[in-house]
Amino acid sequence: MPVETIDTLVVGAGQAGIALCEHLGKQGVPFLVLEKSRIAEAWRTSRWDALVTNGPVWHDRFPNMEFNGNAPDEFVGKDRVADYIEEYAAMVDAPVRTGVEVIKAERLPDRAGFRVETTNGVIEATRIVSATGAFQHPVIPPIVPADAPVTQIHSADYRNPDQLDAGAVMVVGAGSSGAQIADELNRAGRKVFLSVGPHDRPPRRYRGRDFVWWLGVLGLWDLAAQEPGTEHVTISVSGAYGGRTMDFRRLAKEGVTLLGRTTAYADGTLSFAGDVKTNIDAGDANYLGMLDAADAYASAMGLDLPPEPEAREMYPDPDSLTNPIDRIDFAKENITTIIWATGYKQDFGWLKVDAFDDKGAPIHQRGVSKEPGVYFLGLPWQSRRGSTFLWGVWHDAKFVADQIGIQRAYADYRGAAEIVRPAAE
């Protein structure tokens, strides 16, 4: 088969890859996007049925296309997000080739560029952009053995309460996914145990404005890096049920049993660290700190936003906080399912270049790799806190496309020594 050639090959047609299409097109870069499944596949098949966006669509969108047919303050479902990304791909005339998986990419031995093996043949590209996203492979900690008398699934495989065996459910992880799934299961009448680790929990709305607005005016979306020691602190926020502040004391009042971090398993019993109250209190401090910052900003800017003193009222501590539980017997509590809402890992095994640290993480500056001709897009905190959101990845994509344009311009330069002058007559 003849070898196909292209200037820039983009791997992945999720929100990152599709966002890049517009900017590469404006730069006049010849490029192609390969996607092993469908455009925005992860939104369709790696999310639970009732998932909605964590932010309202006036904010969580690409800057130059609104969610047509949806109210600005609406939290839309996962399929609507996938449709939106497909609509955007059509709007920017994205050259996406679906159903093609990249198997391996490595440098050409005798000239600039890369040889890329795919399930549809070989492509040679001058540049490669890995836009495979932040959520590639679900991670389940090796705590409970596979032969334990309980079904174990990752939150990526959870769809709805009806798919689970009858009985109680243990949810491990209290970021946005774990907290929302625990809430949904509890509302469905299941007995739910929730293992809570360190987390932030912003107010859903305060003084008439959504928290995404407050993060914006306070400059918190543009934080360039996490504070030291907060790398494993998740954010617990939800757009479900019209959007409510995720309050773990409220969940406990409604029947959810709160537990500390999951630490060990033996003989049908799961053990927990004695940190549940510490973690809940730290989340409360984050919540109250946001209210303080919002109040200070509103005062300094003279904003006519209604005070909301009731936002500082707290539910009383439930028994699971005042008398922390250090272990749970699965049989005694009739726990039949564990849902691990414990995050994802990235996999760049297909990219055979010297662009990674000893843990396999990309070495880059705002997506520009240490390896010439290699770029990354869609990484958490790629340039700022908002990099994994639609609007954030759009801005990261513009930067990456601009850098590709700059490198192409340098490559086109011909110095005096390279100019072939006509022979004298």
Side-chain angles (χ1 to χ4, degrees), residues 364-375:
H364 69 99
Q365 288 291 327
R366 296 186 64 181
V368 180
S369 171
K370 59 169 282 193
E371 181 77 5
V374 175
Y375 302 82

Side-chain angles (χ1 to χ4, degrees), residues 4 11 14 21-22 39 65 73 77 116 142 164 195 200 240 288 290 299 302 340 363 379 387 400:
E4 184 177 1
V11 181
C21 292
E22 174 187 355
I39 292 175
M65 193 177 92
D73 287 324
V116 183
L164 306 182
S195 175
D200 288 346
L288 294 170
M290 174 72 78
S299 177
W340 297 93
I363 302 172
L379 302 176
S387 286
V400 169

Side-chain angles (χ1 to χ4, degrees), residues 63-328:
N64 56 344
M65 193 177 92
E66 296 182 356
F67 274 78
N68 186 38
N70 297 101
D73 287 324
E74 188 174 348
F75 302 94
V76 299
K78 64 184 185 69
D79 290 333
R80 179 66 187 99
V81 176
D83 289 343
Y84 172 86
I85 295 172
E86 284 195 316
E87 292 163 11
Y88 195 86
M91 183 184 80
V92 301
D93 197 22
V96 179
R97 193 174 294 171
T98 58
V100 180
E101 183 174 3
V102 172
I103 300 170
K104 182 171 69 172
E106 56 189 351
R107 280 205 172 277
L108 290 165
D110 54 350
R111 60 190 185 280
F114 303 87
R115 182 181 187 275
V116 183
E117 295 180 16
T118 81
T119 53
N120 196 38
V122 174
I123 298 174
E124 291 185 359
T126 305
R127 278 161 278 273
I128 293 178
V129 182
S130 173
T132 49
F135 310 109
Q136 295 178 36
H137 296 288
V139 172
I140 295 180
I143 295 176
V144 181
D147 60 356
V150 62
T151 299
Q152 301 183 65
I153 65 172
H154 191 272
S155 57
D157 298 311
Y158 171 76
R159 294 295 173 266
N160 57 65
D162 292 338
Q163 86 180 95
L164 306 182
D165 296 333
V169 183
M170 171 71 66
V171 179
V172 180
S176 290
S177 295
Q180 290 180 52
I181 290 171
D183 192 7
E184 177 175 279
L185 290 168
N186 189 58
R187 289 169 183 259
R190 293 299 189 98
K191 176 60 181 174
V192 178
F193 297 84
L194 178 61
S195 175
V196 180
H199 62 275
D200 288 346
R201 63 171 199 97
R204 175 73 268 173
R205 292 180 65 83
Y206 181 58
R207 299 184 67 166
R209 299 294 170 89
D210 194 272
F211 97 98
V212 300
W213 187 87
W214 286 113
L215 288 183
V217 299
L218 294 170
L220 298 177
W221 282 124
D222 290 324
L223 290 177
Q226 293 172 289
E227 295 180 9
T230 65
E231 293 83 2
H232 301 293
V233 175
T234 61
I235 184 170
S236 191
V237 66
S238 173
Y241 316 109
R244 299 181 64 185
T245 297
M246 187 52 68
D247 188 328
F248 292 104
R249 286 183 176 81
R250 173 180 61 81
L251 287 184
K253 183 176 182 294
E254 293 171 357
V256 174
T257 299
L258 304 178
L259 305 159
R261 288 177 299 108
T262 302
T263 57
Y265 171 86
D267 301 324
T269 297
L270 202 58
S271 299
F272 308 92
D275 59 359
V276 60
K277 183 166 174 54
T278 299
N279 294 333
I280 296 294
D281 287 346
D284 292 344
N286 172 259
Y287 169 84
L288 294 170
M290 174 72 78
L291 301 190
D292 291 342
D295 286 342
Y297 181 87
S299 177
M301 301 302 291
L303 300 182
D304 185 20
L305 298 177
E308 195 176 337
E310 62 273 18
R312 296 177 180 273
E313 298 175 1
M314 297 285 183
Y315 286 97
D317 283 354
D319 184 65
S320 54
L321 285 191
T322 55
N323 298 290
I325 300 169
D326 61 3
R327 58 180 55 87
I328 290 287

Side-chain angles (χ1 to χ4, degrees), residues 321-337:
L321 285 191
T322 55
N323 298 290
I325 300 169
D326 61 3
R327 58 180 55 87
I328 290 287
D329 184 296
F330 283 178
K332 181 178 179 180
E333 299 294 346
N334 191 31
I335 294 173
T336 58
T337 303

